[in-house]
Amino acid sequence: MVTSTAQGESSTSSAGAEAALKDGTRVRIRPIHENDVELERQFIEALSPTSRRFRFLDTMRTPSEALLKQMTTIDNTTDAAYVATIEVAGTTREIGVARFSARPDGHDCELAVAVADEWQNKGLGTLLVARLIAIARSRGIGQMHSSDAADNTSMRKFAEHLHFRHERDPDDATQVLYSVDLAHSAA
């Protein structure tokens, strides 16, 4: 549960808010910033090869500078991105990130989420995506979707938990399309 009473992005400061995971661990959820390039690089490099493949549909080990800039420079008119962090020995460590990018018409947005391997199944992804869903709804976005590897069983279970619909991508049998109608869903 987020300890801040803020539901929308306008009432959430750039410092974010504390949240509790299912096991009681406290994390900070805040908007991603342009100066988070190194934090994002460390997060991506620490993901297991499987988690990196599922998140990026690629087997890269280290993200390019261009990708890092793209992931940390957010256009607040169409996008939203939040990181979850913890403090370890006085150092901030990113343990999860979720983002969406809206289509130009503003009716649909694409979701991406990644949680560090050792932090999966603790409710972190749910907290991050719930924040994004609230923001998308506040902007009047009616649909959210994601395209993921068909063998990503963790994403399938997560999408079911969030009441997303799923179907095989008709253009690519290795992909599954997930979607949720934000106007009429409890997600």
Side-chain angles (χ1 to χ4, degrees), residues 18-186:
E18 280 199 357
L21 302 182
K22 290 189 288 191
D23 66 1
T25 302
R26 308 294 296 172
V27 300
R28 177 157 300 281
I29 297 177
R30 64 165 177 80
I32 200 163
H33 305 296
E34 289 181 347
N35 59 350
D36 286 330
V37 169
E38 190 56 33
L39 192 68
E40 188 73 3
R41 177 192 322 279
Q42 292 170 5
F43 171 73
I44 292 168
E45 289 177 349
L47 291 172
S48 69
T50 299
S51 290
R52 277 194 308 275
R53 181 176 69 83
F54 286 157
R55 168 56 186 92
F56 297 101
L57 302 175
D58 190 349
T59 57
M60 69 158 158
R61 169 71 179 114
T62 300
S64 69
E65 293 301 316
L67 177 61
L68 289 166
K69 183 175 181 181
Q70 176 187 347
M71 296 183 78
T72 56
T73 305
I74 303 302
D75 178 348
N76 289 318
T77 61
T78 56
D79 306 334
Y82 282 80
V83 293
T85 63
I86 58 168
E87 294 295 317
V88 177
T91 301
T92 301
R93 179 175 168 224
E94 181 180 333
I95 60 171
V97 61
R99 65 186 67 245
F100 74 70
S101 183
R103 291 186 180 168
D105 65 11
H107 296 297
D108 182 56
C109 65
E110 183 172 11
L111 168 72
V113 61
V115 173
D117 294 79
E118 66 272 20
W119 290 91
Q120 294 177 10
N121 300 307
K122 295 178 185 255
L124 181 56
T126 301
L127 287 172
L128 288 165
V129 173
R131 175 68 55 94
L132 290 182
I133 287 172
I135 292 168
R137 283 181 172 149
S138 75
R139 293 183 185 180
I141 298 171
Q143 289 277 115
M144 182 175 278
H145 74 276
S146 177
S147 177
D148 294 277
D151 63 337
N152 187 344
T153 57
S154 294
M155 182 59 187
R156 186 184 73 243
K157 291 175 186 174
F158 182 61
E160 288 172 0
H161 167 72
L162 294 174
H163 306 289
F164 277 55
R165 292 180 304 278
H166 70 278
E167 64 181 324
R168 288 278 183 177
D169 184 333
D171 299 323
D172 184 349
T174 68
Q175 300 291 306
V176 175
L177 304 175
Y178 297 98
S179 64
V180 65
D181 180 346
L182 297 176
H184 300 101
S185 172

